[in-house]
Amino acid sequence: MSDDNIFEMAPCLKDGPLSAKGLPFVKQALELPKSVSSDIIKTWATYYIFIAKESAFRKEVDPTNEILEALENQRNFLAAFNNLNLEHFATSEAMEKSRASMEEVERETGNHYGNLFKKFDAEKYFQETHDLLKTRLEVNNILPENLSEMTVLDAGCGGGRYSAAWKKLGAKEVTGVDFSEIGISSAKDRIKEANIDVNYQLEDVVNLSFQNDTFDIVFSNGVLHHTRDLDKGIHELVRVMKKDGFGWLYLIENPGGYFWDIIEILRVIMADVDNGVARNALRILGVPANRIFYILDHIMVPINLRLTGDEIIEILEKHGAKDVKRLERGYGFDRIEKIYQKEPFAEMKYGVGEHRYVFTK
Ligand SMILES: C[S@@+](CC[C@H](N)C(=O)[O-])C[C@H]1O[C@@H](n2cnc3c(N)ncnc32)[C@H](O)[C@@H]1O
């Protein structure tokens, strides 16, 4: 990968405070030959940098040095691996054993996820999300009045947690859409278990099948930054919302502080790593499944656009949104709330915080 490609994926490596140790780390990772072992080693380096960032953020001091140290240590770790001649270790018996154990891990991982989803307590899953949504609406004074008369579209609902939360909050009718069959089918299973009435259906959010002016509330939480056409996705949200309706759009932020810089850096080294190998590599380390999802989420997705507030407002207004307003408060663990509460070094850590916008038309 050329320097220009690296800088395009991770502008923070060009001249940001993390570039001095971040760029050698990335270059060392890119030197590794393409192999399953390299994929595993890069995933482990990703894991250790991710937890070093979290450890640095927990302290009330400037996190820069701790992050730089982690980048340097992991560069050294990758260099040591690159210089290791595995031929010396790999007798054919050992190779057979390691192949068998990878298969076992794969089977175990499959069972683990299956069981995890089945065991997931639907009531708790929906209750927690309901509390998050309620707090975010109340703390910003934007809880819609007459919710019991309103229809809601949850565009890109995933496992359906926010659609159910709107219904629990009192909305008249809720439709959750996603193009993931796994997402929609697990959402359907869960609402049955929790006895909540939501209509879930398969849809592409950048090309919705609904008529203009269909819903009182359109809600899209963490979806359009992963789509191939964010502009069209925003157009669709505004199009299907009724005049004077209530729109909610959450997109990831730029600037995003070290929080997103680290993710950008790790996206460069993980770009060619196999998803299944990465998950297994973290399982072997004993990382719990929910942490694996959280860590790999933005790092392994192919599209992860980050926009400035002005860019989001411009696109929303271009498509007919009015009274666009950024939410300044959030739930306790939201980055925007930590900025609002003036946590030390919050802007360095989190940039401007989550971009949650509400609007009408
Ligand atoms: C990070 S998840 C967010 C899920 C949900 N909104 C939540 O907050 O729990 C992103 C979701 O967007 C969905 N998605 C991405 N592109 C989509 C598209 N073009 N049409 C429909 N869904 C899409 C994915 O399938 C995934 O479920």
Side-chain angles (χ1 to χ4, degrees), residues 125 129 136 154-163 177-181 183-184 202-208 219-229 250 297-298 301:
Y125 177 75
T129 314
R136 288 175 185 148
D154 180 7
C157 63
R161 57 189 183 138
Y162 280 103
S163 328
V177 302
D178 202 287
F179 70 176
S180 156
E181 290 186 16
I184 291 296
L202 285 170
E203 289 269 341
D204 181 354
V205 295
V206 304
N207 197 10
L208 292 168
F219 175 86
S220 182
N221 196 65
V223 175
L224 296 181
H225 43 237
H226 297 312
T227 59
R228 63 202 179 283
D229 194 344
Y250 162 45
D297 180 10
H298 289 281
V301 284

CSV table of all heavy atoms in Angstrom, one decimal, residues 125 129 136 154-163 177-181 183-184 202-208 219-229 250 297-298 301, ligand 1:
chain,number,residue,atom,x,y,z
A,125,TYR,N,-32.5,-6.9,26.7
A,125,TYR,CA,-32.0,-6.3,25.5
A,125,TYR,C,-32.8,-5.1,25.1
A,125,TYR,O,-32.3,-4.0,24.8
A,125,TYR,CB,-32.0,-7.3,24.4
A,125,TYR,CG,-31.5,-6.9,23.0
A,125,TYR,CD1,-30.1,-6.7,22.7
A,125,TYR,CD2,-32.4,-6.8,21.9
A,125,TYR,CE1,-29.7,-6.4,21.4
A,125,TYR,CE2,-32.0,-6.5,20.7
A,125,TYR,CZ,-30.6,-6.3,20.4
A,125,TYR,OH,-30.2,-6.0,19.2
A,129,THR,N,-32.1,-0.7,25.8
A,129,THR,CA,-32.2,0.2,24.7
A,129,THR,C,-33.3,1.3,24.9
A,129,THR,O,-33.1,2.5,24.6
A,129,THR,CB,-32.4,-0.5,23.4
A,129,THR,OG1,-31.5,-1.6,23.4
A,129,THR,CG2,-32.1,0.3,22.2
A,136,ARG,N,-31.8,9.9,26.1
A,136,ARG,CA,-31.3,10.8,25.1
A,136,ARG,C,-32.4,11.8,24.7
A,136,ARG,O,-32.1,12.9,24.4
A,136,ARG,CB,-30.7,10.0,23.9
A,136,ARG,CG,-29.4,9.3,24.2
A,136,ARG,CD,-29.0,8.4,23.1
A,136,ARG,NE,-27.8,7.6,23.4
A,136,ARG,CZ,-27.5,6.4,23.0
A,136,ARG,NH1,-28.4,5.8,22.1
A,136,ARG,NH2,-26.4,5.8,23.3
A,154,ASP,N,-37.8,2.7,11.7
A,154,ASP,CA,-36.4,2.6,12.2
A,154,ASP,C,-35.6,2.0,11.0
A,154,ASP,O,-35.6,0.9,10.6
A,154,ASP,CB,-36.4,1.6,13.4
A,154,ASP,CG,-35.0,1.3,13.9
A,154,ASP,OD1,-34.0,2.0,13.5
A,154,ASP,OD2,-34.9,0.4,14.8
A,155,ALA,N,-34.8,3.0,10.4
A,155,ALA,CA,-34.2,2.6,9.1
A,155,ALA,C,-32.8,2.1,9.4
A,155,ALA,O,-31.9,2.8,9.8
A,155,ALA,CB,-34.1,3.9,8.2
A,156,GLY,N,-32.6,0.7,9.1
A,156,GLY,CA,-31.4,0.1,9.4
A,156,GLY,C,-31.4,-0.4,10.9
A,156,GLY,O,-30.6,-0.1,11.7
A,157,CYS,N,-32.5,-1.2,11.2
A,157,CYS,CA,-32.8,-1.6,12.6
A,157,CYS,C,-31.9,-2.6,13.1
A,157,CYS,O,-31.9,-2.9,14.3
A,157,CYS,CB,-34.2,-2.0,12.7
A,157,CYS,SG,-34.6,-3.5,11.8
A,158,GLY,N,-31.1,-3.4,12.3
A,158,GLY,CA,-30.2,-4.4,12.8
A,158,GLY,C,-31.0,-5.5,13.5
A,158,GLY,O,-32.0,-6.0,13.0
A,159,GLY,N,-30.7,-5.8,14.8
A,159,GLY,CA,-31.4,-6.8,15.6
A,159,GLY,C,-32.7,-6.2,16.2
A,159,GLY,O,-33.3,-6.9,17.0
A,160,GLY,N,-33.1,-5.0,15.8
A,160,GLY,CA,-34.4,-4.5,16.1
A,160,GLY,C,-34.6,-3.8,17.5
A,160,GLY,O,-35.7,-3.5,17.9
A,161,ARG,N,-33.4,-3.5,18.1
A,161,ARG,CA,-33.6,-3.1,19.5
A,161,ARG,C,-34.2,-1.7,19.6
A,161,ARG,O,-35.1,-1.4,20.5
A,161,ARG,CB,-32.2,-3.0,20.2
A,161,ARG,CG,-31.1,-2.2,19.6
A,161,ARG,CD,-29.8,-2.4,20.1
A,161,ARG,NE,-28.8,-1.5,19.5
A,161,ARG,CZ,-27.9,-0.8,20.0
A,161,ARG,NH1,-27.7,-0.8,21.3
A,161,ARG,NH2,-27.1,0.0,19.3
A,162,TYR,N,-33.9,-0.7,18.7
A,162,TYR,CA,-34.5,0.6,18.8
A,162,TYR,C,-35.9,0.6,18.3
A,162,TYR,O,-36.7,1.4,18.8
A,162,TYR,CB,-33.6,1.7,18.1
A,162,TYR,CG,-32.5,2.1,18.9
A,162,TYR,CD1,-31.2,1.6,18.6
A,162,TYR,CD2,-32.6,3.0,20.0
A,162,TYR,CE1,-30.1,2.0,19.4
A,162,TYR,CE2,-31.5,3.3,20.8
A,162,TYR,CZ,-30.3,2.9,20.5
A,162,TYR,OH,-29.2,3.2,21.2
A,163,SER,N,-36.3,-0.2,17.4
A,163,SER,CA,-37.7,-0.3,16.9
A,163,SER,C,-38.6,-0.7,18.1
A,163,SER,O,-39.6,0.0,18.4
A,163,SER,CB,-37.9,-1.3,15.8
A,163,SER,OG,-36.8,-1.4,15.0
A,177,VAL,N,-36.7,-1.7,9.5
A,177,VAL,CA,-36.2,-2.3,8.2
A,177,VAL,C,-34.7,-2.4,8.2
A,177,VAL,O,-34.0,-1.6,8.8
A,177,VAL,CB,-36.7,-1.4,7.0
A,177,VAL,CG1,-38.2,-1.3,6.9
A,177,VAL,CG2,-36.0,-0.1,7.0
A,178,ASP,N,-34.2,-3.4,7.5
A,178,ASP,CA,-32.8,-3.7,7.4
A,178,ASP,C,-32.6,-4.6,6.2
A,178,ASP,O,-33.5,-5.3,5.8
A,178,ASP,CB,-32.2,-4.3,8.6
A,178,ASP,CG,-30.7,-4.1,8.8
A,178,ASP,OD1,-29.9,-4.7,8.0
A,178,ASP,OD2,-30.3,-3.4,9.7
A,179,PHE,N,-31.4,-4.5,5.6
A,179,PHE,CA,-31.2,-5.5,4.4
A,179,PHE,C,-30.5,-6.8,4.9
A,179,PHE,O,-30.2,-7.6,4.1
A,179,PHE,CB,-30.5,-4.8,3.2
A,179,PHE,CG,-29.0,-4.4,3.4
A,179,PHE,CD1,-28.4,-3.9,2.3
A,179,PHE,CD2,-28.4,-4.6,4.6
A,179,PHE,CE1,-27.0,-3.6,2.4
A,179,PHE,CE2,-27.0,-4.3,4.7
A,179,PHE,CZ,-26.4,-3.8,3.6
A,180,SER,N,-30.3,-6.9,6.2
A,180,SER,CA,-29.7,-8.1,6.7
A,180,SER,C,-30.7,-9.1,7.1
A,180,SER,O,-31.5,-8.9,8.0
A,180,SER,CB,-28.8,-7.8,7.9
A,180,SER,OG,-28.6,-8.9,8.7
A,181,GLU,N,-30.7,-10.3,6.4
A,181,GLU,CA,-31.7,-11.3,6.7
A,181,GLU,C,-31.5,-11.8,8.2
A,181,GLU,O,-32.5,-12.1,8.9
A,181,GLU,CB,-31.7,-12.4,5.7
A,181,GLU,CG,-32.1,-12.0,4.4
A,181,GLU,CD,-32.2,-13.1,3.4
A,181,GLU,OE1,-32.2,-14.3,3.8
A,181,GLU,OE2,-32.3,-12.8,2.2
A,183,GLY,N,-30.3,-10.1,10.7
A,183,GLY,CA,-30.8,-9.1,11.6
A,183,GLY,C,-32.3,-9.1,11.7
A,183,GLY,O,-32.9,-9.2,12.8
A,184,ILE,N,-33.0,-9.1,10.6
A,184,ILE,CA,-34.5,-9.1,10.6
A,184,ILE,C,-35.1,-10.4,11.2
A,184,ILE,O,-36.0,-10.3,12.0
A,184,ILE,CB,-35.0,-8.9,9.1
A,184,ILE,CG1,-34.7,-7.5,8.6
A,184,ILE,CG2,-36.5,-9.2,9.1
A,184,ILE,CD1,-35.4,-6.4,9.4
A,202,LEU,N,-37.5,-6.6,5.3
A,202,LEU,CA,-36.3,-6.4,4.6
A,202,LEU,C,-36.4,-5.2,3.7
A,202,LEU,O,-37.4,-5.1,2.9
A,202,LEU,CB,-35.9,-7.7,3.7
A,202,LEU,CG,-35.4,-8.9,4.5
A,202,LEU,CD1,-35.4,-10.1,3.5
A,202,LEU,CD2,-34.0,-8.6,5.0
A,203,GLU,N,-35.5,-4.3,3.7
A,203,GLU,CA,-35.5,-3.1,2.8
A,203,GLU,C,-34.0,-2.6,2.7
A,203,GLU,O,-33.2,-2.8,3.6
A,203,GLU,CB,-36.3,-1.9,3.5
A,203,GLU,CG,-37.7,-2.1,3.6
A,203,GLU,CD,-38.5,-1.5,2.3
A,203,GLU,OE1,-37.9,-0.7,1.6
A,203,GLU,OE2,-39.6,-1.9,2.1
A,204,ASP,N,-33.8,-2.0,1.6
A,204,ASP,CA,-32.5,-1.3,1.4
A,204,ASP,C,-32.7,0.2,1.8
A,204,ASP,O,-33.6,0.8,1.1
A,204,ASP,CB,-32.1,-1.4,-0.1
A,204,ASP,CG,-30.7,-0.7,-0.4
A,204,ASP,OD1,-30.2,-0.1,0.5
A,204,ASP,OD2,-30.3,-0.9,-1.5
A,205,VAL,N,-32.0,0.7,2.8
A,205,VAL,CA,-32.4,2.0,3.3
A,205,VAL,C,-32.0,3.1,2.2
A,205,VAL,O,-32.5,4.3,2.4
A,205,VAL,CB,-31.7,2.4,4.6
A,205,VAL,CG1,-32.3,1.5,5.7
A,205,VAL,CG2,-30.2,2.3,4.6
A,206,VAL,N,-31.2,2.8,1.3
A,206,VAL,CA,-30.9,3.9,0.3
A,206,VAL,C,-31.9,3.8,-0.9
A,206,VAL,O,-31.8,4.6,-1.9
A,206,VAL,CB,-29.4,3.9,-0.3
A,206,VAL,CG1,-28.5,4.0,0.9
A,206,VAL,CG2,-29.2,2.6,-1.1
A,207,ASN,N,-32.9,2.9,-0.8
A,207,ASN,CA,-33.9,2.8,-1.8
A,207,ASN,C,-35.2,2.2,-1.2
A,207,ASN,O,-35.6,1.1,-1.5
A,207,ASN,CB,-33.3,1.8,-2.9
A,207,ASN,CG,-34.1,1.9,-4.2
A,207,ASN,OD1,-34.9,2.8,-4.4
A,207,ASN,ND2,-33.8,1.0,-5.1
A,208,LEU,N,-35.8,3.0,-0.4
A,208,LEU,CA,-37.0,2.5,0.4
A,208,LEU,C,-38.2,2.3,-0.5
A,208,LEU,O,-38.4,3.1,-1.4
A,208,LEU,CB,-37.3,3.4,1.5
A,208,LEU,CG,-36.2,3.5,2.7
A,208,LEU,CD1,-36.5,4.7,3.6
A,208,LEU,CD2,-36.2,2.2,3.5
A,219,PHE,N,-36.2,7.4,12.1
A,219,PHE,CA,-35.1,7.2,13.0
A,219,PHE,C,-34.0,6.4,12.4
A,219,PHE,O,-34.3,5.3,11.9
A,219,PHE,CB,-35.7,6.5,14.3
A,219,PHE,CG,-34.7,6.2,15.3
A,219,PHE,CD1,-34.3,7.1,16.3
A,219,PHE,CD2,-34.1,4.9,15.4
A,219,PHE,CE1,-33.4,6.7,17.3
A,219,PHE,CE2,-33.2,4.6,16.4
A,219,PHE,CZ,-32.8,5.5,17.3
A,220,SER,N,-32.8,6.9,12.3
A,220,SER,CA,-31.7,6.0,11.7
A,220,SER,C,-30.5,6.2,12.6
A,220,SER,O,-29.9,7.2,12.8
A,220,SER,CB,-31.4,6.5,10.3
A,220,SER,OG,-30.4,5.7,9.8
A,221,ASN,N,-30.1,5.1,13.2
A,221,ASN,CA,-29.1,5.1,14.3
A,221,ASN,C,-27.9,4.3,13.9
A,221,ASN,O,-27.9,3.0,13.9
A,221,ASN,CB,-29.7,4.5,15.5
A,221,ASN,CG,-28.9,4.8,16.8
A,221,ASN,OD1,-28.8,5.9,17.1
A,221,ASN,ND2,-28.3,3.8,17.4
A,222,GLY,N,-26.8,5.0,13.4
A,222,GLY,CA,-25.6,4.3,13.1
A,222,GLY,C,-25.6,3.4,11.9
A,222,GLY,O,-25.0,2.3,11.9
A,223,VAL,N,-26.2,3.9,10.8
A,223,VAL,CA,-26.4,3.1,9.7
A,223,VAL,C,-25.8,3.7,8.4
A,223,VAL,O,-25.0,3.0,7.7
A,223,VAL,CB,-28.0,2.8,9.4
A,223,VAL,CG1,-28.2,2.1,8.1
A,223,VAL,CG2,-28.6,2.1,10.6
A,224,LEU,N,-26.2,4.9,8.1
A,224,LEU,CA,-25.9,5.5,6.8
A,224,LEU,C,-24.4,5.6,6.5
A,224,LEU,O,-23.9,5.6,5.4
A,224,LEU,CB,-26.6,6.8,6.5
A,224,LEU,CG,-28.2,6.6,6.5
A,224,LEU,CD1,-28.8,8.0,6.3
A,224,LEU,CD2,-28.6,5.6,5.4
A,225,HIS,N,-23.6,5.7,7.6
A,225,HIS,CA,-22.1,5.8,7.4
A,225,HIS,C,-21.5,4.5,6.9
A,225,HIS,O,-20.4,4.5,6.5
A,225,HIS,CB,-21.4,6.3,8.6
A,225,HIS,CG,-21.8,5.7,9.9
A,225,HIS,ND1,-22.3,6.4,11.0
A,225,HIS,CD2,-21.9,4.4,10.3
A,225,HIS,CE1,-22.6,5.6,11.9
A,225,HIS,NE2,-22.4,4.4,11.5
A,226,HIS,N,-22.3,3.4,6.9
A,226,HIS,CA,-21.8,2.2,6.4
A,226,HIS,C,-22.4,1.9,5.0
A,226,HIS,O,-22.1,0.8,4.4
A,226,HIS,CB,-22.3,1.0,7.3
A,226,HIS,CG,-21.7,1.1,8.7
A,226,HIS,ND1,-20.3,1.3,8.9
A,226,HIS,CD2,-22.3,0.9,9.9
A,226,HIS,CE1,-20.1,1.3,10.2
A,226,HIS,NE2,-21.3,1.0,10.8
A,227,THR,N,-23.2,2.8,4.4
A,227,THR,CA,-23.8,2.5,3.1
A,227,THR,C,-23.0,3.0,2.0
A,227,THR,O,-22.2,3.9,2.2
A,227,THR,CB,-25.3,3.1,3.1
A,227,THR,OG1,-25.2,4.5,3.2
A,227,THR,CG2,-26.2,2.5,4.1
A,228,ARG,N,-23.3,2.5,0.8
A,228,ARG,CA,-22.6,2.9,-0.4
A,228,ARG,C,-23.0,4.3,-0.9
A,228,ARG,O,-22.3,4.9,-1.6
A,228,ARG,CB,-22.8,1.9,-1.5
A,228,ARG,CG,-24.2,1.8,-2.0
A,228,ARG,CD,-24.5,0.5,-2.7
A,228,ARG,NE,-25.9,0.4,-3.1
A,228,ARG,CZ,-26.9,0.1,-2.2
A,228,ARG,NH1,-26.7,0.0,-1.0
A,228,ARG,NH2,-28.2,0.1,-2.7
A,229,ASP,N,-24.1,4.8,-0.4
A,229,ASP,CA,-24.6,6.1,-0.9
A,229,ASP,C,-25.3,6.9,0.2
A,229,ASP,O,-26.5,6.8,0.3
A,229,ASP,CB,-25.5,5.9,-2.1
A,229,ASP,CG,-25.8,7.2,-2.8
A,229,ASP,OD1,-25.5,8.3,-2.3
A,229,ASP,OD2,-26.3,7.1,-4.0
A,250,TYR,N,-28.2,9.5,13.4
A,250,TYR,CA,-26.9,9.4,14.1
A,250,TYR,C,-25.9,8.9,13.2
A,250,TYR,O,-26.0,7.8,12.5
A,250,TYR,CB,-27.1,8.4,15.3
A,250,TYR,CG,-25.7,7.9,15.8
A,250,TYR,CD1,-24.6,8.8,16.0
A,250,TYR,CD2,-25.5,6.6,16.1
A,250,TYR,CE1,-23.4,8.3,16.5
A,250,TYR,CE2,-24.3,6.1,16.6
A,250,TYR,CZ,-23.3,7.0,16.7
A,250,TYR,OH,-22.0,6.5,17.2
A,297,ASP,N,-16.2,-4.1,15.2
A,297,ASP,CA,-17.3,-3.5,14.5
A,297,ASP,C,-16.8,-2.5,13.5
A,297,ASP,O,-16.9,-2.8,12.3
A,297,ASP,CB,-18.2,-2.8,15.6
A,297,ASP,CG,-19.4,-2.1,15.0
A,297,ASP,OD1,-19.6,-2.3,13.8
A,297,ASP,OD2,-20.1,-1.4,15.7
A,298,HIS,N,-16.3,-1.3,13.9
A,298,HIS,CA,-15.9,-0.3,12.9
A,298,HIS,C,-14.6,-0.6,12.2
A,298,HIS,O,-14.3,-0.1,11.2
A,298,HIS,CB,-15.9,1.1,13.6
A,298,HIS,CG,-17.2,1.6,14.0
A,298,HIS,ND1,-18.1,2.1,13.1
A,298,HIS,CD2,-17.9,1.6,15.2
A,298,HIS,CE1,-19.2,2.5,13.7
A,298,HIS,NE2,-19.1,2.1,15.0
A,301,VAL,N,-15.5,-3.2,9.1
A,301,VAL,CA,-16.6,-2.9,8.1
A,301,VAL,C,-15.9,-2.3,6.9
A,301,VAL,O,-15.0,-1.5,7.0
A,301,VAL,CB,-17.7,-2.0,8.6
A,301,VAL,CG1,-18.7,-2.8,9.4
A,301,VAL,CG2,-17.2,-0.8,9.2
B,1,LIG,C1,-24.2,-0.6,13.3
B,1,LIG,S1,-25.7,-1.5,12.9
B,1,LIG,C2,-26.9,-0.5,13.7
B,1,LIG,C3,-28.2,-1.2,13.9
B,1,LIG,C4,-29.3,-0.5,14.7
B,1,LIG,N1,-29.7,0.8,14.1
B,1,LIG,C5,-28.8,-0.3,16.2
B,1,LIG,O1,-28.5,0.9,16.5
B,1,LIG,O2,-28.7,-1.2,16.9
B,1,LIG,C6,-25.8,-1.0,11.1
B,1,LIG,C7,-27.0,-1.7,10.5
B,1,LIG,O3,-27.1,-1.1,9.2
B,1,LIG,C8,-27.6,-2.1,8.3
B,1,LIG,N2,-27.4,-1.6,6.9
B,1,LIG,C9,-26.2,-1.1,6.3
B,1,LIG,N3,-26.5,-0.7,5.1
B,1,LIG,C10,-27.8,-1.0,4.8
B,1,LIG,C11,-28.7,-0.7,3.7
B,1,LIG,N4,-28.2,-0.3,2.6
B,1,LIG,N5,-30.0,-1.0,3.8
B,1,LIG,C12,-30.5,-1.5,5.0
B,1,LIG,N6,-29.7,-1.8,6.1
B,1,LIG,C13,-28.4,-1.5,6.0
B,1,LIG,C14,-26.7,-3.3,8.7
B,1,LIG,O4,-27.3,-4.5,8.2
B,1,LIG,C15,-26.7,-3.2,10.2
B,1,LIG,O5,-27.8,-3.9,10.7
